[in-house]
Amino acid sequence: MTFSIFGLAVSQGIAIGRAHLVSHAIMEVAQYQLRDKDIPAEISRLEKAFATTAAELESLRAEATAPGSPAELSAFLDLHTMILADPMLAEEPKVLIRDRRCNAEWALVQQMQQVTAQFDEFDDPYLRERKQDIVQVVERVIKALQGKPRKLAKRGKDEDLIVIAHDLSPADTIQFKNLRIGGFVTDLGGATSHTAIVARSLAIPAVVGMHHARPLIQDDDLLIVDGTRGALIIDPDERILEEYRLKKTALELQRSKLKRLKTAHAATLDGVDISLQANIELPQDMADVKAVDADGVGLFRTEFLFMNRDDLPDENEQFEAYRTVAKAMMGKVVTIRTLDIGADKEAKALRGAERIQPNPALGLRAIRYCLAEPQIFMAQLRAILRASHYGKVRLLIPMLAHASEVDQALAMIEAAKVQLRAQKVKFDEDIEIGGMVEVPAAALALGPFLKQLDFLSIGTNDLIQYTLAIDRTDEAVAHLYDPLHPAVLRLISLVIQTGQRAGLAVSVCGEMAGDPKMTRLLLGMGLRTFSMHPSQVLEIKQQILMADAGQLAGKVARLLRMEESERVRELLVKINA
Ligand code: PEP
Ligand code: MG
C-alpha cells in the first residue's frame, strides 16, 4: 500500500530506490508508546530478536571452532551468549514493555543502562570492561529488532540505495562520499544541521525530522525520496513511480543545462562582479569545485579531517591536506577555517578533552575549544601557515564573540609564525586572517574585528541559531528556524555594510549563500562574495546573471524595514518574481 510521510526538505532532488536501515547509536533508539492491545506483539518481537541474535552467535561459533580460529573468539562468543541469556536482559525489558507500554528497543536500552551503571562502580578493571560486552550484545539485539541487514540491500538497475536512520551524525554522513547512496531519511535533525549540510554538499536528496519514519519502514522497501517537497513515499504504485521518474529526468536535464554556465563570468545585469566560492569538507571535494570552476574556496571545514578516526591528524597530515587544496586552486583564494569542533560535530580522538556539556551548541566549541587546547590549535595553525606557501591561503576563525578571543587567536598565530621562522620554514608572511560572524554579539559589536582582521565571513547557519535561540539540529523547533526573521536580516545587512565601509571583504558562507531564493536578497544587501557547496554554484550564478544589483538595493532596503517575517516573505516573493 502506498503512503507518504513528510519531514524537512534539506537536500533537493529525487531518489528512487530500496530502503537500507541503519542504526547509528544505540542510545538514539526511538521511544514510542504502545496501545494495550499491541503489547503482546511487542514482547514477541523482542523475543524473536533475541532468538535471531542467539542464532547469529551460534553460526559465528561454528566459524570460531574452525581450525585456525583464535581461541579468544570462541571465549568471547561464549561470554556474549551468556549475557544474551541472562534474565536481566532477556526478561526485565518485557516487564518494562508491559508496565510502561514502551517499545522494545527503548525498554532494552533502559534496562541496559541500568545494568551497566553498576559496572562503573567495580574496582576490578576486567569486570568494568565487561560493560562494553553488554553494550555490544544489546546493539546486536537492537539491530535484529530494527531489521538491520548484514549486507547492503540488492538494487535494481535504476534503483538507488536509500539510507533510513533514526539519526545520522555528520561523521556518518561524510562516509557516504565513498558509497553509492541515492538519498537518506532521518527521524531527527534540522535543516542546517551539519548532517543536512553534508547531504547538500554530496548533492543527494535528503529529508530529515521525519519523527517516525524508521519504525514504519522495512529493509528493501521501495521508496521515493522527494528532497524538494520533504516527502518520503513508501511502496509507490506504478503511476506514482512513473510520475517521479519523469520528474527526476527533468531535474537531471535542468542540472546538465546549468553546466553551460561553468565558464560564464558571474556578473549582474548592471555589471557588478560577484565572486562565487565553494565550501568543502575534505580535499577530495576539490573535483567538485573544479567541475564548476568556483572562484575560490570560501570555507574549508577542517573539522571533517578529524572525524571517523581514533587518532588526531598530526601537523604533517593536516599540512598535506591543506597544501593539496591550496595547490589545486592554483592561486585562487583558499579559506581554511580552524577547527570548528563541538555541538553536532564530534571527533572521537578529541573526546579526551571533551567535557560533559549541558548545552553543547553554547559550550566549548570552535575557537573556544581551540583556545582551551592550545597544542591542537598550534599544530593546526602551523599546518595552515605552511600550506600558505603553496597558494593563496587565508585563515578563518570560527565563532568569535569577544575581543579577547581575537587577541588570543592572533597571538597564537603570531607564535606559530615565530616558530616557523626560527625553523626556516616558508609561509606567506602576509596571510590574511578573517573571522566568522556567527554570534549576534559579534555582529552588533564588530569594532575589534574591524580593527584587527582582514576579512569577515558571515556564518548564517549559526547566526540564525543564536539569534533566534533555535537549536539547528532539533527538528522539534525547526519550524522556528527562520532565515527571514527581520532580526536575522538586519544583523546580516549590518555586518555587510559595516564591514565593507571599514574596507574589509565580507562574504556569506552559511547555507543562505547557496539558496537561490536568497540570492537577490543578499545582492540587495550589498553582498558581493558568496560561498556555498560546489553543487549550488551554477544555480546561484544563473540567479546572478538575471539580477540587477542597483535596483535590488532599493527594494531590499524596503524589505529590511519590515517588522514581520510574513511581510518579508511576501515582499521577497515579489522581488524574486
Ligand atoms: C555557519 O554557521 O553558517 C557556517 C558556515 O559554519 P558551520 O555551518 O560549519 O557551523
Ligand atoms: Mg558555524
Side-chain angles (χ1 to χ4, degrees), residues 44-293:
S44 101
R45 197 165 78 86
L46 183 67
E47 283 170 346
K48 268 199 207 122
F50 267 82
T52 308
T53 310
E56 229 175 73
L57 290 173
E58 204 43 54
S59 72
L60 285 172
R61 191 199 299 277
E63 287 170 32
T65 47
S69 298
E72 296 85 356
L73 184 57
S74 195
F76 150 90
L77 288 168
D78 285 343
L79 177 65
H80 280 209
T81 307
M82 215 170 75
I83 294 172
L84 187 72
D86 194 304
M88 290 291 275
L89 280 189
E91 296 303 323
E92 285 302 314
K94 294 185 198 165
V95 179
L96 287 177
I97 296 175
R98 256 184 237 113
D99 292 355
R100 300 203 197 158
R101 291 194 292 128
C102 60
N103 55 313
E105 291 91 341
W106 187 255
L108 189 57
V109 169
Q110 292 305 302
Q111 180 62 15
M112 178 200 76
Q113 283 169 344
Q114 218 181 342
V115 173
T116 53
Q118 300 158 13
F119 278 64
D120 291 333
E121 312 296 322
F122 293 153
D123 288 335
D124 182 340
Y126 174 81
L127 284 179
R128 263 203 318 271
E129 274 172 30
R130 299 291 64 78
K131 172 178 170 176
Q132 215 35 47
D133 289 294
I134 299 180
V135 173
Q136 283 169 6
V137 170
V138 171
E139 216 153 31
R140 269 186 191 278
V141 183
I142 298 268
K143 281 176 189 163
L145 275 168
Q146 295 173 338
K148 186 181 163 128
R150 292 267 144 256
K151 300 191 190 88
L152 292 185
K154 287 197 198 75
R155 278 171 276 172
K157 193 161 62 64
D158 298 324
E159 287 171 355
D160 285 324
L161 204 62
I162 295 174
V163 170
I164 309 290
H166 181 57
D167 193 16
L168 288 171
S169 69
D172 295 327
T173 318
I174 199 82
Q175 297 188 44
F176 293 169
K177 278 191 200 265
N178 304 320
L179 301 169
R180 206 191 113 205
I181 301 292
F184 75 81
V185 170
T186 61
D187 284 341
L188 302 186
T192 53
S193 63
H194 287 90
T195 301
I197 289 175
V198 174
R200 281 193 285 274
S201 84
L202 298 173
I204 57 176
V207 184
V208 303
M210 279 277 185
H211 298 285
H212 297 301
R214 209 180 174 299
L216 296 174
I217 296 164
Q218 310 262 323
D219 260 313
D220 248 357
D221 277 352
L222 184 60
L223 304 173
I224 298 174
V225 180
D226 183 338
T228 311
R229 281 173 62 226
L232 176 70
I233 304 161
I234 297 129
D235 201 10
D237 61 30
E238 202 34 57
R239 188 186 55 82
I240 298 176
L241 266 175
E242 198 41 42
E243 188 188 317
Y244 269 94
R245 282 192 197 113
L246 288 173
K247 272 192 193 174
K248 193 170 181 231
T249 314
L251 276 174
E252 280 160 7
L253 196 68
Q254 216 176 319
R255 278 213 167 263
S256 78
K257 275 192 189 153
L258 275 178
K259 284 190 191 146
R260 294 185 205 149
L261 294 181
K262 178 180 168 182
T263 51
H265 176 67
T268 59
L269 289 172
D270 52 338
V272 178
D273 287 341
I274 305 295
S275 176
L276 296 181
Q277 303 184 1
N279 295 352
I280 62 167
E281 277 93 38
L282 293 168
Q284 71 197 68
D285 298 339
M286 288 311 294
D288 300 333
V289 177
K290 291 278 184 187
V292 294
D293 198 19

Side-chain angles (χ1 to χ4, degrees), residues 194 337 340 365 436 438 459 461-462 472:
H194 287 90
R337 180 174 73 181
D340 184 10
R365 60 168 287 208
M436 286 200 68
E438 41 189 357
N461 307 335
D462 277 317
R472 59 194 266 201

Side-chain angles (χ1 to χ4, degrees), residues 515-566:
D515 181 346
K517 294 191 293 302
M518 302 291 169
T519 311
R520 285 165 181 250
L521 174 62
L522 293 170
L523 278 175
M525 288 181 184
L527 188 74
R528 300 297 177 250
T529 306
F530 297 61
S531 190
M532 68 210 77
H533 309 295
S535 60
Q536 289 305 108
V537 166
L538 297 180
E539 201 173 339
I540 300 301
K541 195 186 273 186
Q542 191 179 35
Q543 293 296 322
I544 303 278
L545 295 173
M546 297 185 304
D548 184 315
Q551 275 183 14
L552 283 170
K555 291 181 184 169
V556 169
R558 225 183 101 214
L559 181 146
L560 288 171
R561 287 194 291 274
M562 304 271 159
E563 291 290 343
E564 289 162 48
S565 301
E566 272 324 299

